[in-house]
PDB file of all heavy atoms in Angstrom:
ATOM      1  N   ILE A   1      51.935 -63.061 -45.995  1.00  0.00           N
ATOM      2  CA  ILE A   1      51.309 -64.322 -46.461  1.00  0.00           C
ATOM      3  C   ILE A   1      50.318 -64.074 -47.557  1.00  0.00           C
ATOM      4  O   ILE A   1      50.542 -64.520 -48.666  1.00  0.00           O
ATOM      5  CB  ILE A   1      50.598 -65.080 -45.219  1.00  0.00           C
ATOM      6  CG1 ILE A   1      51.602 -65.450 -44.193  1.00  0.00           C
ATOM      7  CG2 ILE A   1      49.880 -66.330 -45.792  1.00  0.00           C
ATOM      8  CD1 ILE A   1      52.520 -66.571 -44.521  1.00  0.00           C
ATOM      9  N   ILE A   2      49.242 -63.397 -47.282  1.00  0.00           N
ATOM     10  CA  ILE A   2      48.197 -63.186 -48.244  1.00  0.00           C
ATOM     11  C   ILE A   2      48.701 -62.405 -49.482  1.00  0.00           C
ATOM     12  O   ILE A   2      48.428 -62.849 -50.568  1.00  0.00           O
ATOM     13  CB  ILE A   2      47.014 -62.389 -47.611  1.00  0.00           C
ATOM     14  CG1 ILE A   2      46.338 -63.318 -46.529  1.00  0.00           C
ATOM     15  CG2 ILE A   2      45.991 -61.945 -48.658  1.00  0.00           C
ATOM     16  CD1 ILE A   2      45.731 -64.505 -47.064  1.00  0.00           C
ATOM     17  N   LEU A   3      49.362 -61.300 -49.245  1.00  0.00           N
ATOM     18  CA  LEU A   3      49.726 -60.489 -50.420  1.00  0.00           C
ATOM     19  C   LEU A   3      50.892 -61.020 -51.266  1.00  0.00           C
ATOM     20  O   LEU A   3      50.997 -60.658 -52.410  1.00  0.00           O
ATOM     21  CB  LEU A   3      50.160 -59.047 -49.924  1.00  0.00           C
ATOM     22  CG  LEU A   3      49.037 -58.229 -49.373  1.00  0.00           C
ATOM     23  CD1 LEU A   3      49.549 -56.881 -48.856  1.00  0.00           C
ATOM     24  CD2 LEU A   3      47.925 -58.014 -50.445  1.00  0.00           C
ATOM     25  N   VAL A   4      51.559 -62.048 -50.713  1.00  0.00           N
ATOM     26  CA  VAL A   4      52.647 -62.719 -51.573  1.00  0.00           C
ATOM     27  C   VAL A   4      52.259 -64.154 -51.933  1.00  0.00           C
ATOM     28  O   VAL A   4      53.057 -64.882 -52.420  1.00  0.00           O
ATOM     29  CB  VAL A   4      54.032 -62.685 -50.805  1.00  0.00           C
ATOM     30  CG1 VAL A   4      54.405 -61.300 -50.618  1.00  0.00           C
ATOM     31  CG2 VAL A   4      53.913 -63.419 -49.483  1.00  0.00           C
ATOM     32  N   GLY A   5      51.017 -64.531 -51.646  1.00  0.00           N
ATOM     33  CA  GLY A   5      50.503 -65.829 -52.125  1.00  0.00           C
ATOM     34  C   GLY A   5      51.061 -67.096 -51.316  1.00  0.00           C
ATOM     35  O   GLY A   5      51.019 -68.102 -51.933  1.00  0.00           O
ATOM     36  N   LYS A   6      51.489 -66.923 -50.149  1.00  0.00           N
ATOM     37  CA  LYS A   6      51.971 -68.033 -49.354  1.00  0.00           C
ATOM     38  C   LYS A   6      50.756 -68.755 -48.701  1.00  0.00           C
ATOM     39  O   LYS A   6      49.689 -68.148 -48.595  1.00  0.00           O
ATOM     40  CB  LYS A   6      52.958 -67.619 -48.265  1.00  0.00           C
ATOM     41  CG  LYS A   6      54.337 -67.164 -48.878  1.00  0.00           C
ATOM     42  CD  LYS A   6      55.260 -66.909 -47.719  1.00  0.00           C
ATOM     43  CE  LYS A   6      56.593 -66.481 -48.229  1.00  0.00           C
ATOM     44  NZ  LYS A   6      57.551 -66.208 -47.074  1.00  0.00           N
ATOM     45  N   ALA A   7      50.984 -69.940 -48.200  1.00  0.00           N
ATOM     46  CA  ALA A   7      49.947 -70.696 -47.467  1.00  0.00           C
ATOM     47  C   ALA A   7      50.283 -70.617 -46.049  1.00  0.00           C
ATOM     48  O   ALA A   7      51.429 -70.939 -45.590  1.00  0.00           O
ATOM     49  CB  ALA A   7      49.925 -72.176 -48.010  1.00  0.00           C
ATOM     50  N   SER A   8      49.229 -70.280 -45.219  1.00  0.00           N
ATOM     51  CA  SER A   8      49.469 -70.048 -43.786  1.00  0.00           C
ATOM     52  C   SER A   8      49.724 -71.425 -43.036  1.00  0.00           C
ATOM     53  O   SER A   8      50.447 -71.505 -42.096  1.00  0.00           O
ATOM     54  CB  SER A   8      48.324 -69.399 -43.166  1.00  0.00           C
ATOM     55  OG  SER A   8      47.081 -70.096 -43.408  1.00  0.00           O
ATOM     56  N   LYS A   9      49.217 -72.587 -43.604  1.00  0.00           N
ATOM     57  CA  LYS A   9      49.515 -73.835 -42.963  1.00  0.00           C
ATOM     58  C   LYS A   9      50.927 -74.332 -43.209  1.00  0.00           C
ATOM     59  O   LYS A   9      51.441 -75.122 -42.460  1.00  0.00           O
ATOM     60  CB  LYS A   9      48.444 -74.861 -43.458  1.00  0.00           C
ATOM     61  CG  LYS A   9      47.084 -74.653 -42.968  1.00  0.00           C
ATOM     62  CD  LYS A   9      46.130 -75.679 -43.328  1.00  0.00           C
ATOM     63  CE  LYS A   9      44.756 -75.472 -42.699  1.00  0.00           C
ATOM     64  NZ  LYS A   9      43.827 -76.574 -42.986  1.00  0.00           N
ATOM     65  N   ASP A  10      51.600 -73.871 -44.288  1.00  0.00           N
ATOM     66  CA  ASP A  10      52.875 -74.331 -44.646  1.00  0.00           C
ATOM     67  C   ASP A  10      54.031 -73.366 -44.238  1.00  0.00           C
ATOM     68  O   ASP A  10      55.205 -73.530 -44.461  1.00  0.00           O
ATOM     69  CB  ASP A  10      52.983 -74.490 -46.152  1.00  0.00           C
ATOM     70  CG  ASP A  10      52.054 -75.578 -46.702  1.00  0.00           C
ATOM     71  OD1 ASP A  10      51.700 -76.445 -45.939  1.00  0.00           O
ATOM     72  OD2 ASP A  10      51.519 -75.381 -47.819  1.00  0.00           O
ATOM     73  N   THR A  11      53.621 -72.274 -43.565  1.00  0.00           N
ATOM     74  CA  THR A  11      54.602 -71.211 -43.189  1.00  0.00           C
ATOM     75  C   THR A  11      54.743 -71.149 -41.716  1.00  0.00           C
ATOM     76  O   THR A  11      53.692 -71.172 -40.963  1.00  0.00           O
ATOM     77  CB  THR A  11      54.200 -69.862 -43.764  1.00  0.00           C
ATOM     78  OG1 THR A  11      53.950 -69.950 -45.169  1.00  0.00           O
ATOM     79  CG2 THR A  11      55.280 -68.810 -43.546  1.00  0.00           C
ATOM     80  N   LYS A  12      55.867 -71.043 -41.194  1.00  0.00           N
ATOM     81  CA  LYS A  12      56.148 -70.949 -39.734  1.00  0.00           C
ATOM     82  C   LYS A  12      56.069 -69.462 -39.326  1.00  0.00           C
ATOM     83  O   LYS A  12      56.362 -68.569 -40.174  1.00  0.00           O
ATOM     84  CB  LYS A  12      57.577 -71.501 -39.440  1.00  0.00           C
ATOM     85  CG  LYS A  12      57.704 -73.026 -39.637  1.00  0.00           C
ATOM     86  CD  LYS A  12      59.106 -73.414 -39.172  1.00  0.00           C
ATOM     87  CE  LYS A  12      59.312 -74.872 -39.559  1.00  0.00           C
ATOM     88  NZ  LYS A  12      58.877 -75.767 -38.479  1.00  0.00           N
ATOM     89  N   VAL A  13      55.666 -69.322 -38.122  1.00  0.00           N
ATOM     90  CA  VAL A  13      55.576 -67.942 -37.523  1.00  0.00           C
ATOM     91  C   VAL A  13      56.942 -67.245 -37.649  1.00  0.00           C
ATOM     92  O   VAL A  13      56.946 -66.062 -37.897  1.00  0.00           O
ATOM     93  CB  VAL A  13      55.152 -68.059 -36.085  1.00  0.00           C
ATOM     94  CG1 VAL A  13      55.380 -66.775 -35.329  1.00  0.00           C
ATOM     95  CG2 VAL A  13      53.674 -68.495 -35.969  1.00  0.00           C
ATOM     96  N   ALA A  14      58.031 -67.970 -37.486  1.00  0.00           N
ATOM     97  CA  ALA A  14      59.376 -67.375 -37.562  1.00  0.00           C
ATOM     98  C   ALA A  14      59.595 -66.650 -38.902  1.00  0.00           C
ATOM     99  O   ALA A  14      60.347 -65.727 -39.003  1.00  0.00           O
ATOM    100  CB  ALA A  14      60.421 -68.420 -37.330  1.00  0.00           C
ATOM    101  N   ASP A  15      58.941 -67.160 -39.947  1.00  0.00           N
ATOM    102  CA  ASP A  15      59.166 -66.633 -41.255  1.00  0.00           C
ATOM    103  C   ASP A  15      58.388 -65.268 -41.500  1.00  0.00           C
ATOM    104  O   ASP A  15      58.756 -64.546 -42.416  1.00  0.00           O
ATOM    105  CB  ASP A  15      58.627 -67.553 -42.347  1.00  0.00           C
ATOM    106  CG  ASP A  15      59.538 -68.882 -42.330  1.00  0.00           C
ATOM    107  OD1 ASP A  15      60.611 -68.846 -41.909  1.00  0.00           O
ATOM    108  OD2 ASP A  15      58.880 -69.885 -42.801  1.00  0.00           O
ATOM    109  N   ILE A  16      57.442 -64.951 -40.620  1.00  0.00           N
ATOM    110  CA  ILE A  16      56.704 -63.706 -40.767  1.00  0.00           C
ATOM    111  C   ILE A  16      56.720 -62.727 -39.688  1.00  0.00           C
ATOM    112  O   ILE A  16      56.272 -61.580 -39.741  1.00  0.00           O
ATOM    113  CB  ILE A  16      55.231 -63.954 -41.237  1.00  0.00           C
ATOM    114  CG1 ILE A  16      54.369 -64.509 -40.077  1.00  0.00           C
ATOM    115  CG2 ILE A  16      55.156 -64.817 -42.434  1.00  0.00           C
ATOM    116  CD1 ILE A  16      52.889 -64.389 -40.258  1.00  0.00           C
ATOM    117  N   MET A  17      57.134 -63.247 -38.493  1.00  0.00           N
ATOM    118  CA  MET A  17      57.055 -62.414 -37.264  1.00  0.00           C
ATOM    119  C   MET A  17      57.997 -61.188 -37.324  1.00  0.00           C
ATOM    120  O   MET A  17      58.996 -61.212 -38.067  1.00  0.00           O
ATOM    121  CB  MET A  17      57.446 -63.209 -36.042  1.00  0.00           C
ATOM    122  CG  MET A  17      58.947 -63.538 -35.963  1.00  0.00           C
ATOM    123  SD  MET A  17      59.266 -64.621 -34.522  1.00  0.00           S
ATOM    124  CE  MET A  17      61.034 -64.707 -34.567  1.00  0.00           C
ATOM    125  N   SER A  18      57.617 -60.162 -36.645  1.00  0.00           N
ATOM    126  CA  SER A  18      58.449 -58.936 -36.536  1.00  0.00           C
ATOM    127  C   SER A  18      59.454 -59.183 -35.441  1.00  0.00           C
ATOM    128  O   SER A  18      59.044 -59.584 -34.308  1.00  0.00           O
ATOM    129  CB  SER A  18      57.560 -57.803 -36.175  1.00  0.00           C
ATOM    130  OG  SER A  18      56.626 -57.472 -37.163  1.00  0.00           O
ATOM    131  N   THR A  19      60.658 -59.170 -35.778  1.00  0.00           N
ATOM    132  CA  THR A  19      61.774 -59.471 -34.810  1.00  0.00           C
ATOM    133  C   THR A  19      62.320 -58.225 -34.038  1.00  0.00           C
ATOM    134  O   THR A  19      63.004 -58.367 -33.028  1.00  0.00           O
ATOM    135  CB  THR A  19      62.941 -60.191 -35.439  1.00  0.00           C
ATOM    136  OG1 THR A  19      63.440 -59.361 -36.546  1.00  0.00           O
ATOM    137  CG2 THR A  19      62.514 -61.578 -35.970  1.00  0.00           C
ATOM    138  N   LYS A  20      62.055 -57.049 -34.583  1.00  0.00           N
ATOM    139  CA  LYS A  20      62.436 -55.839 -33.887  1.00  0.00           C
ATOM    140  C   LYS A  20      61.236 -55.511 -32.905  1.00  0.00           C
ATOM    141  O   LYS A  20      60.304 -54.929 -33.308  1.00  0.00           O
ATOM    142  CB  LYS A  20      62.690 -54.678 -34.760  1.00  0.00           C
ATOM    143  CG  LYS A  20      63.258 -53.464 -34.155  1.00  0.00           C
ATOM    144  CD  LYS A  20      63.823 -52.473 -35.126  1.00  0.00           C
ATOM    145  CE  LYS A  20      64.465 -51.345 -34.377  1.00  0.00           C
ATOM    146  NZ  LYS A  20      65.074 -50.399 -35.260  1.00  0.00           N
ATOM    147  N   VAL A  21      61.460 -55.939 -31.692  1.00  0.00           N
ATOM    148  CA  VAL A  21      60.348 -55.836 -30.721  1.00  0.00           C
ATOM    149  C   VAL A  21      60.566 -54.648 -29.844  1.00  0.00           C
ATOM    150  O   VAL A  21      61.631 -54.514 -29.117  1.00  0.00           O
ATOM    151  CB  VAL A  21      60.225 -57.121 -29.852  1.00  0.00           C
ATOM    152  CG1 VAL A  21      59.119 -56.918 -28.873  1.00  0.00           C
ATOM    153  CG2 VAL A  21      60.023 -58.323 -30.732  1.00  0.00           C
ATOM    154  N   PHE A  22      59.655 -53.681 -29.850  1.00  0.00           N
ATOM    155  CA  PHE A  22      59.719 -52.502 -28.962  1.00  0.00           C
ATOM    156  C   PHE A  22      58.921 -52.965 -27.765  1.00  0.00           C
ATOM    157  O   PHE A  22      57.911 -53.651 -27.771  1.00  0.00           O
ATOM    158  CB  PHE A  22      59.106 -51.305 -29.582  1.00  0.00           C
ATOM    159  CG  PHE A  22      59.885 -50.783 -30.784  1.00  0.00           C
ATOM    160  CD1 PHE A  22      59.486 -51.230 -32.065  1.00  0.00           C
ATOM    161  CD2 PHE A  22      60.936 -49.993 -30.683  1.00  0.00           C
ATOM    162  CE1 PHE A  22      60.244 -50.793 -33.200  1.00  0.00           C
ATOM    163  CE2 PHE A  22      61.638 -49.613 -31.790  1.00  0.00           C
ATOM    164  CZ  PHE A  22      61.304 -50.027 -33.032  1.00  0.00           C
ATOM    165  N   TYR A  23      59.352 -52.535 -26.613  1.00  0.00           N
ATOM    166  CA  TYR A  23      58.702 -52.882 -25.338  1.00  0.00           C
ATOM    167  C   TYR A  23      58.783 -51.691 -24.338  1.00  0.00           C
ATOM    168  O   TYR A  23      59.505 -50.763 -24.545  1.00  0.00           O
ATOM    169  CB  TYR A  23      59.335 -54.119 -24.734  1.00  0.00           C
ATOM    170  CG  TYR A  23      60.734 -53.984 -24.370  1.00  0.00           C
ATOM    171  CD1 TYR A  23      61.164 -53.534 -23.028  1.00  0.00           C
ATOM    172  CD2 TYR A  23      61.778 -54.300 -25.291  1.00  0.00           C
ATOM    173  CE1 TYR A  23      62.462 -53.379 -22.797  1.00  0.00           C
ATOM    174  CE2 TYR A  23      63.110 -54.148 -24.991  1.00  0.00           C
ATOM    175  CZ  TYR A  23      63.533 -53.726 -23.766  1.00  0.00           C
ATOM    176  OH  TYR A  23      64.762 -53.570 -23.374  1.00  0.00           O
ATOM    177  N   VAL A  24      58.013 -51.860 -23.348  1.00  0.00           N
ATOM    178  CA  VAL A  24      57.954 -50.813 -22.217  1.00  0.00           C
ATOM    179  C   VAL A  24      58.079 -51.472 -20.885  1.00  0.00           C
ATOM    180  O   VAL A  24      57.921 -52.697 -20.785  1.00  0.00           O
ATOM    181  CB  VAL A  24      56.677 -49.939 -22.353  1.00  0.00           C
ATOM    182  CG1 VAL A  24      56.620 -49.163 -23.568  1.00  0.00           C
ATOM    183  CG2 VAL A  24      55.394 -50.780 -22.211  1.00  0.00           C
ATOM    184  N   GLY A  25      58.393 -50.716 -19.911  1.00  0.00           N
ATOM    185  CA  GLY A  25      58.432 -51.171 -18.479  1.00  0.00           C
ATOM    186  C   GLY A  25      57.116 -50.727 -17.811  1.00  0.00           C
ATOM    187  O   GLY A  25      56.414 -49.806 -18.212  1.00  0.00           O
ATOM    188  N   PRO A  26      56.912 -51.329 -16.619  1.00  0.00           N
ATOM    189  CA  PRO A  26      55.658 -51.037 -15.853  1.00  0.00           C
ATOM    190  C   PRO A  26      55.581 -49.590 -15.339  1.00  0.00           C
ATOM    191  O   PRO A  26      54.526 -49.080 -15.006  1.00  0.00           O
ATOM    192  CB  PRO A  26      55.689 -52.083 -14.722  1.00  0.00           C
ATOM    193  CG  PRO A  26      57.067 -52.458 -14.592  1.00  0.00           C
ATOM    194  CD  PRO A  26      57.653 -52.357 -16.009  1.00  0.00           C
ATOM    195  N   GLU A  27      56.681 -48.937 -15.187  1.00  0.00           N
ATOM    196  CA  GLU A  27      56.721 -47.554 -14.688  1.00  0.00           C
ATOM    197  C   GLU A  27      56.591 -46.510 -15.792  1.00  0.00           C
ATOM    198  O   GLU A  27      56.590 -45.348 -15.476  1.00  0.00           O
ATOM    199  CB  GLU A  27      57.954 -47.339 -13.877  1.00  0.00           C
ATOM    200  CG  GLU A  27      58.156 -48.246 -12.696  1.00  0.00           C
ATOM    201  CD  GLU A  27      57.057 -48.059 -11.673  1.00  0.00           C
ATOM    202  OE1 GLU A  27      56.536 -46.973 -11.439  1.00  0.00           O
ATOM    203  OE2 GLU A  27      56.625 -49.079 -11.041  1.00  0.00           O
ATOM    204  N   GLN A  28      56.490 -46.871 -17.003  1.00  0.00           N
ATOM    205  CA  GLN A  28      56.386 -45.929 -18.136  1.00  0.00           C
ATOM    206  C   GLN A  28      55.002 -45.253 -18.082  1.00  0.00           C
ATOM    207  O   GLN A  28      53.997 -46.014 -17.779  1.00  0.00           O
ATOM    208  CB  GLN A  28      56.731 -46.506 -19.450  1.00  0.00           C
ATOM    209  CG  GLN A  28      58.255 -46.615 -19.588  1.00  0.00           C
ATOM    210  CD  GLN A  28      58.703 -46.933 -20.952  1.00  0.00           C
ATOM    211  OE1 GLN A  28      58.956 -48.058 -21.329  1.00  0.00           O
ATOM    212  NE2 GLN A  28      58.771 -45.885 -21.791  1.00  0.00           N
ATOM    213  N   ARG A  29      54.891 -44.074 -18.482  1.00  0.00           N
ATOM    214  CA  ARG A  29      53.647 -43.350 -18.561  1.00  0.00           C
ATOM    215  C   ARG A  29      52.880 -43.836 -19.846  1.00  0.00           C
ATOM    216  O   ARG A  29      53.539 -44.089 -20.829  1.00  0.00           O
ATOM    217  CB  ARG A  29      53.853 -41.890 -18.561  1.00  0.00           C
ATOM    218  CG  ARG A  29      54.364 -41.313 -17.299  1.00  0.00           C
ATOM    219  CD  ARG A  29      54.442 -39.799 -17.314  1.00  0.00           C
ATOM    220  NE  ARG A  29      54.133 -39.257 -18.629  1.00  0.00           N
ATOM    221  CZ  ARG A  29      54.889 -38.361 -19.296  1.00  0.00           C
ATOM    222  NH1 ARG A  29      55.903 -37.864 -18.789  1.00  0.00           N
ATOM    223  NH2 ARG A  29      54.534 -37.947 -20.451  1.00  0.00           N
ATOM    224  N   ILE A  30      51.576 -43.844 -19.797  1.00  0.00           N
ATOM    225  CA  ILE A  30      50.766 -44.228 -20.922  1.00  0.00           C
ATOM    226  C   ILE A  30      51.024 -43.283 -22.090  1.00  0.00           C
ATOM    227  O   ILE A  30      51.016 -43.783 -23.232  1.00  0.00           O
ATOM    228  CB  ILE A  30      49.271 -44.223 -20.486  1.00  0.00           C
ATOM    229  CG1 ILE A  30      48.952 -45.339 -19.458  1.00  0.00           C
ATOM    230  CG2 ILE A  30      48.388 -44.490 -21.722  1.00  0.00           C
ATOM    231  CD1 ILE A  30      49.285 -46.719 -19.856  1.00  0.00           C
ATOM    232  N   GLU A  31      51.181 -42.044 -21.854  1.00  0.00           N
ATOM    233  CA  GLU A  31      51.403 -41.115 -22.937  1.00  0.00           C
ATOM    234  C   GLU A  31      52.736 -41.427 -23.729  1.00  0.00           C
ATOM    235  O   GLU A  31      52.793 -41.246 -24.881  1.00  0.00           O
ATOM    236  CB  GLU A  31      51.513 -39.655 -22.430  1.00  0.00           C
ATOM    237  CG  GLU A  31      50.183 -39.161 -21.980  1.00  0.00           C
ATOM    238  CD  GLU A  31      49.821 -39.600 -20.525  1.00  0.00           C
ATOM    239  OE1 GLU A  31      50.604 -40.359 -19.823  1.00  0.00           O
ATOM    240  OE2 GLU A  31      48.773 -39.225 -20.067  1.00  0.00           O
ATOM    241  N   GLU A  32      53.728 -41.870 -22.937  1.00  0.00           N
ATOM    242  CA  GLU A  32      55.012 -42.409 -23.630  1.00  0.00           C
ATOM    243  C   GLU A  32      54.715 -43.513 -24.543  1.00  0.00           C
ATOM    244  O   GLU A  32      55.276 -43.598 -25.634  1.00  0.00           O
ATOM    245  CB  GLU A  32      56.041 -42.719 -22.568  1.00  0.00           C
ATOM    246  CG  GLU A  32      56.498 -41.495 -21.781  1.00  0.00           C
ATOM    247  CD  GLU A  32      57.451 -41.936 -20.699  1.00  0.00           C
ATOM    248  OE1 GLU A  32      57.103 -42.850 -19.965  1.00  0.00           O
ATOM    249  OE2 GLU A  32      58.494 -41.317 -20.583  1.00  0.00           O
ATOM    250  N   CYS A  33      53.861 -44.522 -24.061  1.00  0.00           N
ATOM    251  CA  CYS A  33      53.526 -45.667 -24.904  1.00  0.00           C
ATOM    252  C   CYS A  33      52.802 -45.196 -26.167  1.00  0.00           C
ATOM    253  O   CYS A  33      53.127 -45.755 -27.229  1.00  0.00           O
ATOM    254  CB  CYS A  33      52.643 -46.606 -24.105  1.00  0.00           C
ATOM    255  SG  CYS A  33      53.409 -47.229 -22.586  1.00  0.00           S
TER     256      CYS A  33
END
């Protein structure tokens, strides 16, 4: 938004969100995270 001069009120979250979402499970070790 900022670095490309867009307006935050006119832009949808879908246009800037990261869609490759990494996730973990509750049994994963903190070190792995």
Side-chain angles (χ1 to χ4, degrees):
I1 297 290
I2 293 297
L3 292 178
V4 296
K6 289 186 179 180
S8 58
K9 288 186 178 183
D10 300 328
T11 306
K12 292 182 187 271
V13 167
D15 296 334
I16 70 161
M17 69 184 188
S18 299
T19 56
K20 186 168 187 177
V21 179
F22 296 95
Y23 61 90
V24 293
E27 299 298 325
Q28 283 193 261
R29 293 185 353 228
I30 296 299
E31 291 81 4
E32 293 174 313
C33 297

